[in-house]
Amino acid sequence: MEAARDLRFSLGASEGACAGLERMEGRAAVVPTISLHNFSEKISEQQVHFHVMGMTDCFLLWIGSAPTLSNLAVSMCNRFDPIPVSTLLLGDTSDTTSSAFAQKLAKKTKKQVFVSYNLPSADGNFILLLENRVKKEMETFPEKF
C-alpha cells in the first residue's frame, strides 16, 4: 500500500495550533507536532512582533514589525566544535544578525534553530534588548521553543 494512504493528518484546535501526523494500520503512532506561539513588545519605541514555530527537535523564530521574510539563517550544534555552525539561507550576506542570533539560541537550546530577523539594522543595545525579551519568553514558555 502506498505511504500516502498510510498517513492520516489531523489538526488540533488548541491555542498551539498543533498539527499531528499518525500512522495507521496497527503501526506505532508517530505524532510530530508543530506549535505556534506569538508575542509582541514595544522595544525602544518600536513595536516588535515575535513568532515561534516549535517542532520536535528544532524551532523557527521570526522577528519583525511587518509581514516580510527578508532573511533566514539556520544554526545547529555539532560534536566537533563547541560553537554551533551557522549559515544564512536567504538574504543579504553582509547582515549577520540572523546568523548570530540563531547561533546563540542553538548553543542555549541544543536544537537546530532557524531565525528570520526582519527589522532595520539596529545598534547592539537594541539587539541585546531583543535577545533578553526572547530569553524571558523562553523561561516563561519553554515548551514553545
Side-chain angles (χ1 to χ4, degrees):
M1 185 173 263
E2 290 182 49
R5 280 192 260 164
D6 291 344
L7 301 176
R8 180 181 64 185
F9 294 88
S10 63
L11 293 175
S14 66
E15 180 185 335
C18 296
L21 176 66
E22 298 180 64
R23 295 207 180 268
M24 296 171 44
E25 296 184 13
R27 296 183 190 156
V30 178
V31 186
T33 59
I34 298 174
S35 66
L36 302 177
H37 180 63
N38 299 302
F39 55 103
S40 298
E41 186 158 318
K42 195 165 197 164
I43 300 175
S44 295
E45 302 300 319
Q46 183 175 0
Q47 186 68 29
V48 180
H49 304 286
F50 301 85
H51 174 79
V52 180
M53 185 183 308
M55 295 160 267
T56 304
D57 294 322
C58 64
F59 66 91
L60 180 141
L61 172 65
W62 178 92
I63 302 169
S65 58
T68 61
L69 185 68
S70 58
N71 64 53
L72 180 65
V74 63
S75 184
M76 65 188 83
C77 296
N78 68 78
R79 62 182 172 179
F80 304 111
D81 195 348
I83 300 171
V85 294
S86 181
T87 190
L88 188 68
L89 301 173
L90 172 70
D92 182 7
T93 56
S94 67
D95 183 4
T96 60
T97 308
S98 290
S99 295
F101 206 174
Q103 208 168 29
K104 289 177 185 179
L105 290 170
K107 188 171 186 175
K108 180 176 177 59
T109 63
K110 305 288 188 239
K111 292 183 174 185
Q112 183 179 29
V113 179
F114 297 86
V115 173
S116 180
Y117 179 83
N118 301 285
L119 294 170
S121 295
D123 62 6
N125 290 333
F126 183 76
I127 301 297
L128 185 60
L129 291 172
L130 288 174
E131 289 176 1
N132 288 336
R133 180 60 182 98
V134 171
K135 182 180 174 184
K136 179 181 167 188
E137 199 73 14
M138 289 176 80
E139 290 169 356
T140 307
F141 300 102
E143 71 280 1
K144 300 294 183 182
F145 291 86

